[in-house]
Amino acid sequence: MHKFVRKALTFAATAAIACSSILTSVPTASAQSIAIVRDAEIEALLKDYARPIFGAAGLTQQNIEIVLVNNRSFNAFVDGRRIFINTGALLLAESPGEIIGVLAHEAGHIAGGHQARLREQIARAQIFGVVGSLLGVGAVAAGSLSGNDGTASAGMGVAAASGGIAQRSLLSYRRTEEINADQSAITYLNATGQSAAGMLATFNRFSQGLALAGVQVDPYQQSHPLPRERIALLEDLARSSPYFNNPVDASLQRRHDLMRGKIAANVGGHPAIQRAFNGNTANVGYRYGDAIATRLSGNIASAVQKIDALIAEQPNNPYFHEAKGEILLSGNQAESAANSFQRASQLDPNNSGLIRAQRGFALMRTGNPALAEQAIGDLRAAIGADPTNLSAYRQLSQAYGQQGDVANAELTMAEGYFRAGNVQEARIFAARAQQKLQPGTPAWTRANDIVTVGQ
């Protein structure tokens, strides 16, 4: 795996309008650059969290994708069939139920068709604002013609008020939408026999955060209801569930702790791990994060010892072997790293293309020409399994370059840029590749498809 947060890829994504951005983005939302994190272990855990929720919400056939965002705040949002969730939310949530509740809430937005209706509401708010502005302008004109300054001032008031009314109408709709998503989340949790205690813990965290900050907020200027109001609405429903006091699944909690340890190590090193686990050095998540942070600090030998101790306890954990591969690769032990990635791939029940790509990259890093074809095979297979692994395109391009195959190196870069949404750069590399490829071949055709897209 490429270095978690430190090598996060950036791409343009049209994000759903979050509560704070509505105030500045009405009537339209614009594309935003979002730093994306890819990690096989975390993605697998979130899929396991989401699978029963998506089933209860009737979303199993919708191909919902969960995307990790490199952001330290506790937040999540929906865009189309994607749920974006911040690494900060994963780090701050101390139990699986908190994240499961977040996923259930976002699933409620998708199942409820809230985005489509939000677009309709934005259109209505836009029309309302325009009509109000026209009325105001008319009143100003009438006042000017009559020489009545009071009428003109009233006209300016109408114009200003219409925008505020439109905005409040839209925000009121958003508050209703959020409450509906909360209630849907409780329904999904009950249907899957899970406790909503984690959801309440999340809302309590928000409420306490506002109180500690001394924040005074106008509830009508928020697209989400105030945390204390949402707690009051949810508490009765959550506590009346027969599953509210269900204990946390121990195996999920361990995986959750491992995830938090990994994120803490990557975003803040040993101090962040200490904070995340309150100094509990016996926690497996703490120890996992400690091994990763030790690698990031440059102490490869100690990091190998620490990860080997974890592997001895859980020899069939694919992600421990993956972490060892990363440690060895950091220590310029590329061939040994490739072996660790191979073991991780063999143990991985999800057959992650991310791990397969890491093995290919490690083989490429050996500099051994005899392993070059194997590296290319791994990287091509990784892209085939996961076309969104943008890092693999770059690595595959480098592998082709090492072999002197410039045409395929440039074509691979073109495909990577195209997948990332950078059509201009994709066309440049595709045109270069096309000049070196035999016309009519499959590779030439792929390059030509990119060059001529949109023409």
Side-chain angles (χ1 to χ4, degrees):
M1 180 183 67
H2 48 281
K3 288 182 182 179
F4 191 62
V5 170
R6 297 169 187 263
K7 289 190 179 178
L9 298 167
T10 302
F11 76 103
T14 303
I17 307 174
C19 61
S20 59
S21 64
I22 278 191
L23 300 180
T24 57
S25 298
V26 173
T28 60
S30 61
Q32 305 173 26
S33 290
I34 300 175
I36 299 301
V37 176
R38 298 301 310 278
D39 183 89
E41 180 176 16
I42 297 175
E43 289 176 7
L45 178 59
L46 294 181
K47 285 179 182 177
D48 287 345
Y49 283 170
R51 190 175 295 110
I53 294 296
F54 290 169
L59 299 174
T60 303
Q61 304 301 319
Q62 299 297 314
N63 296 318
I64 307 299
E65 182 183 2
I66 301 173
V67 181
L68 305 178
V69 179
N70 177 20
N71 189 297
R72 296 192 183 194
S73 66
F74 196 115
N75 195 24
F77 57 91
V78 169
D79 173 33
R81 287 195 293 269
R82 293 188 181 97
I83 294 176
F84 292 82
I85 185 164
N86 289 358
T87 53
L90 303 179
L91 176 58
L92 292 171
E94 296 183 1
S95 71
E98 293 183 56
I99 298 303
I100 292 171
V102 168
L103 293 172
H105 173 89
E106 300 305 332
H109 281 308
I110 297 173
H114 292 171
Q115 280 189 294
R117 289 204 291 272
L118 176 60
R119 284 190 287 271
E120 293 175 3
Q121 290 291 327
I122 289 173
R124 290 176 184 173
Q126 183 178 13
I127 293 169
F128 193 0
V130 169
V131 170
S133 296
L134 290 175
L135 289 172
V137 170
V140 170
S144 298
L145 290 172
S146 66
N148 187 335
D149 292 338
T151 304
S153 299
M156 292 302 294
V158 171
S162 65
I165 293 169
Q167 186 181 83
R168 284 176 180 248
S169 175
L170 181 59
L171 296 181
S172 176
Y173 169 77
R174 286 286 283 159
R175 286 191 294 273
T176 301
E177 191 180 76
E178 292 301 326
I179 292 169
N180 288 340
D182 291 341
Q183 293 172 339
S184 294
I186 296 291
T187 299
Y188 305 150
L189 292 170
N190 285 338
T192 55
Q194 299 184 83
S195 172
M199 279 191 70
L200 291 179
T202 296
F203 287 119
N204 278 315
R205 179 185 294 111
F206 288 153
S207 180
Q208 290 167 4
L210 286 173
L212 290 172
V215 175
Q216 297 294 323
V217 185
D218 175 3
Y220 294 100
Q221 289 295 313
Q222 289 193 334
S223 65
H224 290 53
L226 289 174
R228 63 178 177 271
E229 294 173 349
R230 293 174 77 178
I231 292 171
L233 289 169
L234 282 173
E235 186 127 24
D236 287 343
L237 285 174
R239 291 189 178 279
S240 65
S241 168
Y243 311 108
F244 184 79
N245 292 317
N246 277 11
V248 176
D249 182 277
S251 63
L252 278 186
Q253 184 65 58
R254 281 193 297 272
R255 292 175 64 190
H256 191 86
D257 289 342
L258 291 170
M259 172 183 69
R260 295 181 68 228
K262 174 179 281 188
I263 295 173
N266 279 278
V267 301
H270 286 103
I273 300 165
Q274 286 279 348
R275 290 192 298 272
F277 296 98
N278 297 315
N280 181 8
T281 59
N283 186 290
V284 67
Y286 182 103
R287 295 169 59 206
Y288 189 37
D290 180 39
I292 295 170
T294 301
R295 167 180 71 85
L296 294 173
S297 70
N299 192 340
I300 303 303
S302 178
V304 169
Q305 290 179 349
K306 290 174 179 179
I307 200 67
D308 277 343
L310 290 169
I311 290 173
E313 295 171 14
Q314 297 183 42
N316 294 324
N317 186 321
Y319 308 113
F320 287 170
H321 291 279
E322 180 191 26
K324 183 173 182 179
E326 293 175 350
I327 293 168
L328 294 170
L329 198 58
S330 295
N332 296 316
Q333 302 175 54
E335 194 161 349
S336 295
N339 292 333
S340 289
F341 289 134
Q342 173 68 9
R343 183 59 179 154
S345 187
Q346 291 170 343
L347 293 169
D348 177 23
N350 299 295
N351 298 313
S352 172
L354 294 174
I355 297 177
R356 185 78 179 269
Q358 289 175 290
R359 180 171 181 267
F361 180 62
L363 290 170
M364 186 181 72
R365 282 277 300 273
T366 65
N368 185 346
L371 299 176
E373 281 297 328
Q374 192 174 355
I376 288 173
D378 277 341
L379 290 166
R380 290 183 65 174
I383 289 171
D386 183 2
T388 63
N389 184 357
L390 305 183
S391 179
Y393 288 95
R394 183 177 64 251
Q395 294 164 3
L396 179 57
S397 178
Q398 292 172 359
Y400 278 128
Q402 285 182 359
Q403 286 196 311
D405 188 349
V406 178
N408 273 308
E410 291 178 334
L411 176 57
T412 301
M413 285 299 293
E415 291 173 331
Y417 275 120
F418 188 80
R419 176 64 65 171
N422 190 336
V423 177
Q424 182 177 356
E425 287 294 325
R427 282 176 170 163
I428 292 171
F429 277 95
R432 291 178 185 173
Q434 202 172 26
Q435 293 173 0
K436 302 175 181 69
L437 294 165
Q438 183 68 30
T441 60
W444 184 93
T445 302
R446 282 156 49 205
N448 189 63
D449 288 342
I450 293 174
V451 170
T452 60
V453 68
Q455 294 182 0

